[in-house]
Every structure is written in C-alpha cells, then in structure tokens.
Amino acid sequence: MPLARIDLVQGKSAEYRRTIGTIVYEAMVDVLMVPKNDRFQIIAEHPADALIADENYLGIRRTQDCIFYSTDAQCWRTVEQKKAFYKVVADTLHARLGLRPEDVFINLIEVQKEKLSFGIGIANTQK
Amino acid sequence: MPLARIDLVQGKSAEYRRTIGTIVYEAMVDVLMVPKNDRFQIIAEHPADALIADENYLGIRRTQDCIFYSTDAQCWRTVEQKKAFYKVVADTLHARLGLRPEDVFINLIEVQKEKLSFGIGIANTQK
Amino acid sequence: MPLARIDLVQGKSAEYRRTIGTIVYEAMVDVLMVPKNDRFQIIAEHPADALIADENYLGIRRTQDCIFYSTDAQCWRTVEQKKAFYKVVADTLHARLGLRPEDVFINLIEVQKEKLSFGIGIANTQK
C-alpha cells in the first residue's frame, strides 16, 4: 500500500473523509496483510462535475457520492483475497458512513517492491 | 478504461472540460472497443504554474493549454490500435475544441482485470 | 519520465514547489539518464488533513511537510540506479529547500514505451 489516492465529491465533512481513509487502511491490514502503519493516502475533493462515474455501467446504480479509491500496491495476494478486500471495504463504508456499496470504485495496480522509497532517500526492501 | 484522470489548466469552461472527457471516452469505445458506458473520469483543474509540460521536448511545441490524460487500463489491444487511439483523440480535440494536437499528452498504463471493483464490493470479471 | 505527480501540503511558495519539480527532473536526467527536457509534472497542493503519511512507519519520522512523488516511468535502469536516484533526490531537496529526508516519499511504476503519446497524436517510439 505504498500510496493510495481517494477522490470524492467536495462538501463532505473532514471526519467523513478521514474515516474513508481509515476504513480502507484497516481493510488493507486485516484482509491483505499489509504491514501495520503502512498508511500513505491522498484524499482529494472535487467539484461534482469533475467526477464522472457512469450511472449504470454493469447494472450498478452510481450517484454523485461515488468515491474512487486507487492504489499502486506491492505484493498482492490471491484473487480471493482481493475479492474479500473489495467486500470488506464496501460493507464497512456502508455500515460506518452510510455510503452506498454501489458508490465504491476500487482500482488496484501492481508494482514491484524495489521501486519505492518511504523516506530518507533509501529504497524499500521490506516485503 | 477503469479510471481516467484528465488534468488541465484552470479557467476553461465546464463545457470545455466535460467535452474533453466525452471525446476521450468515445475514442475508447470506438477505437479500443472498450464497453459502452465504461466511463469513469476525474477531471482536475490546476493553476498554470502547477502544470509543467516541456515547451519543446521531441520537437513538439507545447503551451500552457496542454492537457494530460492518464488511465490505468485493462485489456489493451495492439500497438496499432493504440496509435489509432492517440490520433483520433488529438484530431477530435482539435476539431471540436480547437485544442492544439501538440498540447495533448496521453499516458496509458496496463493493469490486470482482476484488480478492479466497479462497485457493490465485487471484483470485475468482465473482459 | 512520462508524467510525474508531486503532491504536497498547501501554503508553500510557488518557488518552493517549482524547485521540487526542478530537483526531481534534474535527478532523473543525471542519475537515470532520462532524456534532457523530458519534463512533464503536475504539482498539486492539498490541505493538511488531506495528506496522510504515517508518522513512524519503518521507523522514519514524517511530518506534515511530507511530499509524495509518483511517476509512471519507462525504461527503468538497475536497482542500484534507482537507489542512487532516491538518495540524490532526498539529499538535494534537503540541501536546497531544507526539506527533511524523512519527508520524501517516492513511488515509481514501470510502464512500456508504446503506451505514451507526447503530443500531436502519435505514439512515442523513443527509448
């Protein structure tokens, strides 16, 4: 979970935005075995007309509250683990924030471990 | 076309920004055979000094109106199809918005299909 | 170095932001042999609470001044070159801007060369 981007419509509370970040981070740790405290997130707000999520692609009814979660992540686990991750994130966002599961868009991209520096100018050598 | 980011200088009209998104989406469907309605885009405006596009790299004269189109895309077709896509996007942006072809920067990144969730907490299993 | 994103907290000077971009670009050219003038960067400012960098992950003490540098880059060199790049960037940011090396987060992602268009609707065929 080197760096995650969370994009959503502007106007939500700071607490709402922060909680999205916390929920995604906790799901990473609990479901995908990402190391504890590996939390690096950029949470960006956008005007409503700057976020375009098709209202019915694949039969899923999306609204203006759709959030986009993107991360370039190392060491991905099995497809089953990824499926479990999607479900936990959507379920928890719904339970804690009332966010519709239809409004949760997740985009994961695999990267190699040598290509990160978490700071002090050195490459990451952890798993 | 799981998620596309379009970055451009601030101060253009909402219609101008929206049309860029439409043109890119239509080229995806027409040239790259992306499924109809697979449209997920974030269109971000930036101050002029926050967007840096070299004014002459590769002999292409860019201006402050340069737009950046980035997408993490699944199931990419042949190099020829990608070339056709670049050309259609640049030509159509020029014809419909007067955008200089020199000012169209496109960045495509390949991802695997299992790594997306379009909503409701389930993995995408479509092509 | 097709497109780089630099994200940092708002409130720094335009000169400060621009210099970060220059330092990263120069390190790319000097250490990773990226072609001269291949500079395409988006430098985005965010409110303090929108940037989350764990304060102690891997024992590195980060502050609110943490910057995130992300790029989808083609033709990456050896791990040693990447390590040299991380070090030069962190050292130079410290020397020229006083930025703490602990506050430099770097995220590199490899892409293929056919998947870029630097403008005029044609694919990049350079190395």
Side-chain angles (χ1 to χ4, degrees), chain B residues 77-93:
Chain B
R77 311 310 199 268
T78 64
V79 170
E80 288 312 307
Q81 281 177 303
K82 280 173 264 182
K83 287 182 177 175
F85 172 72
Y86 299 143
K87 181 163 168 47
V88 165
V89 168
D91 287 354
T92 312
L93 287 168

PDB file of all heavy atoms in Angstrom, chain B residues 77-93:
ATOM      1  N   ARG B  77      -5.291  -3.437 -26.560  1.00  0.00           N
ATOM      2  CA  ARG B  77      -5.202  -4.036 -27.878  1.00  0.00           C
ATOM      3  C   ARG B  77      -3.789  -3.855 -28.448  1.00  0.00           C
ATOM      4  O   ARG B  77      -2.847  -3.616 -27.717  1.00  0.00           O
ATOM      5  CB  ARG B  77      -6.274  -3.426 -28.794  1.00  0.00           C
ATOM      6  CG  ARG B  77      -7.654  -3.407 -28.163  1.00  0.00           C
ATOM      7  CD  ARG B  77      -8.056  -4.778 -27.581  1.00  0.00           C
ATOM      8  NE  ARG B  77      -9.494  -4.891 -27.392  1.00  0.00           N
ATOM      9  CZ  ARG B  77     -10.142  -4.591 -26.265  1.00  0.00           C
ATOM     10  NH1 ARG B  77      -9.485  -4.159 -25.198  1.00  0.00           N
ATOM     11  NH2 ARG B  77     -11.442  -4.733 -26.179  1.00  0.00           N
ATOM     12  N   THR B  78      -3.648  -3.955 -29.731  1.00  0.00           N
ATOM     13  CA  THR B  78      -2.350  -3.897 -30.391  1.00  0.00           C
ATOM     14  C   THR B  78      -1.762  -2.488 -30.366  1.00  0.00           C
ATOM     15  O   THR B  78      -2.458  -1.508 -30.099  1.00  0.00           O
ATOM     16  CB  THR B  78      -2.493  -4.309 -31.863  1.00  0.00           C
ATOM     17  OG1 THR B  78      -3.320  -3.334 -32.510  1.00  0.00           O
ATOM     18  CG2 THR B  78      -3.140  -5.674 -31.993  1.00  0.00           C
ATOM     19  N   VAL B  79      -0.479  -2.432 -30.678  1.00  0.00           N
ATOM     20  CA  VAL B  79       0.170  -1.124 -30.788  1.00  0.00           C
ATOM     21  C   VAL B  79      -0.538  -0.282 -31.854  1.00  0.00           C
ATOM     22  O   VAL B  79      -0.729   0.924 -31.678  1.00  0.00           O
ATOM     23  CB  VAL B  79       1.667  -1.294 -31.140  1.00  0.00           C
ATOM     24  CG1 VAL B  79       2.297   0.044 -31.496  1.00  0.00           C
ATOM     25  CG2 VAL B  79       2.412  -1.949 -29.984  1.00  0.00           C
ATOM     26  N   GLU B  80      -0.949  -0.923 -32.923  1.00  0.00           N
ATOM     27  CA  GLU B  80      -1.636  -0.178 -33.983  1.00  0.00           C
ATOM     28  C   GLU B  80      -2.926   0.447 -33.474  1.00  0.00           C
ATOM     29  O   GLU B  80      -3.265   1.578 -33.826  1.00  0.00           O
ATOM     30  CB  GLU B  80      -1.931  -1.101 -35.181  1.00  0.00           C
ATOM     31  CG  GLU B  80      -0.687  -1.470 -35.980  1.00  0.00           C
ATOM     32  CD  GLU B  80       0.174  -0.241 -36.300  1.00  0.00           C
ATOM     33  OE1 GLU B  80      -0.353   0.739 -36.853  1.00  0.00           O
ATOM     34  OE2 GLU B  80       1.377  -0.257 -35.978  1.00  0.00           O
ATOM     35  N   GLN B  81      -3.648  -0.292 -32.658  1.00  0.00           N
ATOM     36  CA  GLN B  81      -4.885   0.273 -32.107  1.00  0.00           C
ATOM     37  C   GLN B  81      -4.592   1.445 -31.178  1.00  0.00           C
ATOM     38  O   GLN B  81      -5.308   2.447 -31.175  1.00  0.00           O
ATOM     39  CB  GLN B  81      -5.673  -0.807 -31.359  1.00  0.00           C
ATOM     40  CG  GLN B  81      -6.445  -1.714 -32.311  1.00  0.00           C
ATOM     41  CD  GLN B  81      -7.163  -2.832 -31.576  1.00  0.00           C
ATOM     42  OE1 GLN B  81      -6.515  -3.604 -30.864  1.00  0.00           O
ATOM     43  NE2 GLN B  81      -8.463  -2.934 -31.749  1.00  0.00           N
ATOM     44  N   LYS B  82      -3.515   1.297 -30.420  1.00  0.00           N
ATOM     45  CA  LYS B  82      -3.158   2.413 -29.529  1.00  0.00           C
ATOM     46  C   LYS B  82      -2.777   3.646 -30.343  1.00  0.00           C
ATOM     47  O   LYS B  82      -3.169   4.771 -30.013  1.00  0.00           O
ATOM     48  CB  LYS B  82      -2.023   1.997 -28.587  1.00  0.00           C
ATOM     49  CG  LYS B  82      -2.532   1.182 -27.407  1.00  0.00           C
ATOM     50  CD  LYS B  82      -1.401   0.624 -26.570  1.00  0.00           C
ATOM     51  CE  LYS B  82      -1.088  -0.789 -26.994  1.00  0.00           C
ATOM     52  NZ  LYS B  82      -0.043  -1.457 -26.236  1.00  0.00           N
ATOM     53  N   LYS B  83      -2.038   3.422 -31.430  1.00  0.00           N
ATOM     54  CA  LYS B  83      -1.666   4.565 -32.277  1.00  0.00           C
ATOM     55  C   LYS B  83      -2.904   5.240 -32.861  1.00  0.00           C
ATOM     56  O   LYS B  83      -2.987   6.470 -32.929  1.00  0.00           O
ATOM     57  CB  LYS B  83      -0.733   4.102 -33.404  1.00  0.00           C
ATOM     58  CG  LYS B  83       0.674   3.771 -32.920  1.00  0.00           C
ATOM     59  CD  LYS B  83       1.560   3.356 -34.095  1.00  0.00           C
ATOM     60  CE  LYS B  83       2.993   3.087 -33.618  1.00  0.00           C
ATOM     61  NZ  LYS B  83       3.853   2.553 -34.715  1.00  0.00           N
ATOM     62  N   ALA B  84      -3.847   4.403 -33.292  1.00  0.00           N
ATOM     63  CA  ALA B  84      -5.087   4.966 -33.839  1.00  0.00           C
ATOM     64  C   ALA B  84      -5.828   5.769 -32.766  1.00  0.00           C
ATOM     65  O   ALA B  84      -6.389   6.834 -33.044  1.00  0.00           O
ATOM     66  CB  ALA B  84      -5.977   3.842 -34.367  1.00  0.00           C
ATOM     67  N   PHE B  85      -5.791   5.267 -31.560  1.00  0.00           N
ATOM     68  CA  PHE B  85      -6.451   5.974 -30.448  1.00  0.00           C
ATOM     69  C   PHE B  85      -5.829   7.354 -30.225  1.00  0.00           C
ATOM     70  O   PHE B  85      -6.541   8.363 -30.120  1.00  0.00           O
ATOM     71  CB  PHE B  85      -6.356   5.124 -29.180  1.00  0.00           C
ATOM     72  CG  PHE B  85      -6.835   5.822 -27.942  1.00  0.00           C
ATOM     73  CD1 PHE B  85      -8.188   6.053 -27.744  1.00  0.00           C
ATOM     74  CD2 PHE B  85      -5.944   6.262 -26.978  1.00  0.00           C
ATOM     75  CE1 PHE B  85      -8.645   6.701 -26.603  1.00  0.00           C
ATOM     76  CE2 PHE B  85      -6.386   6.904 -25.842  1.00  0.00           C
ATOM     77  CZ  PHE B  85      -7.737   7.129 -25.657  1.00  0.00           C
ATOM     78  N   TYR B  86      -4.504   7.405 -30.173  1.00  0.00           N
ATOM     79  CA  TYR B  86      -3.839   8.696 -29.975  1.00  0.00           C
ATOM     80  C   TYR B  86      -4.262   9.697 -31.042  1.00  0.00           C
ATOM     81  O   TYR B  86      -4.526  10.864 -30.760  1.00  0.00           O
ATOM     82  CB  TYR B  86      -2.303   8.548 -30.038  1.00  0.00           C
ATOM     83  CG  TYR B  86      -1.697   7.646 -28.999  1.00  0.00           C
ATOM     84  CD1 TYR B  86      -0.609   6.824 -29.316  1.00  0.00           C
ATOM     85  CD2 TYR B  86      -2.181   7.596 -27.700  1.00  0.00           C
ATOM     86  CE1 TYR B  86      -0.025   6.001 -28.372  1.00  0.00           C
ATOM     87  CE2 TYR B  86      -1.600   6.769 -26.756  1.00  0.00           C
ATOM     88  CZ  TYR B  86      -0.526   5.976 -27.086  1.00  0.00           C
ATOM     89  OH  TYR B  86       0.048   5.167 -26.148  1.00  0.00           O
ATOM     90  N   LYS B  87      -4.316   9.204 -32.274  1.00  0.00           N
ATOM     91  CA  LYS B  87      -4.617  10.109 -33.384  1.00  0.00           C
ATOM     92  C   LYS B  87      -6.063  10.592 -33.337  1.00  0.00           C
ATOM     93  O   LYS B  87      -6.331  11.787 -33.521  1.00  0.00           O
ATOM     94  CB  LYS B  87      -4.333   9.392 -34.720  1.00  0.00           C
ATOM     95  CG  LYS B  87      -4.595  10.278 -35.932  1.00  0.00           C
ATOM     96  CD  LYS B  87      -3.950   9.756 -37.192  1.00  0.00           C
ATOM     97  CE  LYS B  87      -4.472  10.493 -38.436  1.00  0.00           C
ATOM     98  NZ  LYS B  87      -4.500  11.966 -38.294  1.00  0.00           N
ATOM     99  N   VAL B  88      -6.970   9.706 -33.078  1.00  0.00           N
ATOM    100  CA  VAL B  88      -8.384  10.095 -33.014  1.00  0.00           C
ATOM    101  C   VAL B  88      -8.607  11.103 -31.885  1.00  0.00           C
ATOM    102  O   VAL B  88      -9.312  12.101 -32.062  1.00  0.00           O
ATOM    103  CB  VAL B  88      -9.284   8.849 -32.821  1.00  0.00           C
ATOM    104  CG1 VAL B  88     -10.699   9.257 -32.392  1.00  0.00           C
ATOM    105  CG2 VAL B  88      -9.332   8.038 -34.097  1.00  0.00           C
ATOM    106  N   VAL B  89      -8.006  10.854 -30.744  1.00  0.00           N
ATOM    107  CA  VAL B  89      -8.184  11.776 -29.620  1.00  0.00           C
ATOM    108  C   VAL B  89      -7.653  13.162 -29.977  1.00  0.00           C
ATOM    109  O   VAL B  89      -8.346  14.176 -29.804  1.00  0.00           O
ATOM    110  CB  VAL B  89      -7.483  11.238 -28.351  1.00  0.00           C
ATOM    111  CG1 VAL B  89      -7.413  12.317 -27.270  1.00  0.00           C
ATOM    112  CG2 VAL B  89      -8.211  10.009 -27.829  1.00  0.00           C
ATOM    113  N   ALA B  90      -6.438  13.220 -30.498  1.00  0.00           N
ATOM    114  CA  ALA B  90      -5.844  14.526 -30.824  1.00  0.00           C
ATOM    115  C   ALA B  90      -6.625  15.231 -31.926  1.00  0.00           C
ATOM    116  O   ALA B  90      -6.898  16.437 -31.845  1.00  0.00           O
ATOM    117  CB  ALA B  90      -4.371  14.346 -31.230  1.00  0.00           C
ATOM    118  N   ASP B  91      -7.002  14.486 -32.944  1.00  0.00           N
ATOM    119  CA  ASP B  91      -7.744  15.100 -34.054  1.00  0.00           C
ATOM    120  C   ASP B  91      -9.108  15.620 -33.600  1.00  0.00           C
ATOM    121  O   ASP B  91      -9.537  16.708 -33.999  1.00  0.00           O
ATOM    122  CB  ASP B  91      -7.949  14.074 -35.183  1.00  0.00           C
ATOM    123  CG  ASP B  91      -6.668  13.795 -35.951  1.00  0.00           C
ATOM    124  OD1 ASP B  91      -5.648  14.472 -35.688  1.00  0.00           O
ATOM    125  OD2 ASP B  91      -6.677  12.897 -36.824  1.00  0.00           O
ATOM    126  N   THR B  92      -9.789  14.843 -32.789  1.00  0.00           N
ATOM    127  CA  THR B  92     -11.137  15.240 -32.373  1.00  0.00           C
ATOM    128  C   THR B  92     -11.095  16.409 -31.395  1.00  0.00           C
ATOM    129  O   THR B  92     -11.936  17.315 -31.448  1.00  0.00           O
ATOM    130  CB  THR B  92     -11.887  14.040 -31.757  1.00  0.00           C
ATOM    131  OG1 THR B  92     -11.741  12.909 -32.614  1.00  0.00           O
ATOM    132  CG2 THR B  92     -13.367  14.349 -31.591  1.00  0.00           C
ATOM    133  N   LEU B  93     -10.131  16.405 -30.496  1.00  0.00           N
ATOM    134  CA  LEU B  93      -9.985  17.551 -29.587  1.00  0.00           C
ATOM    135  C   LEU B  93      -9.718  18.830 -30.383  1.00  0.00           C
ATOM    136  O   LEU B  93     -10.222  19.914 -30.044  1.00  0.00           O
ATOM    137  CB  LEU B  93      -8.843  17.297 -28.589  1.00  0.00           C
ATOM    138  CG  LEU B  93      -9.140  16.279 -27.487  1.00  0.00           C
ATOM    139  CD1 LEU B  93      -7.852  15.904 -26.752  1.00  0.00           C
ATOM    140  CD2 LEU B  93     -10.167  16.815 -26.489  1.00  0.00           C
TER     141      LEU B  93
END
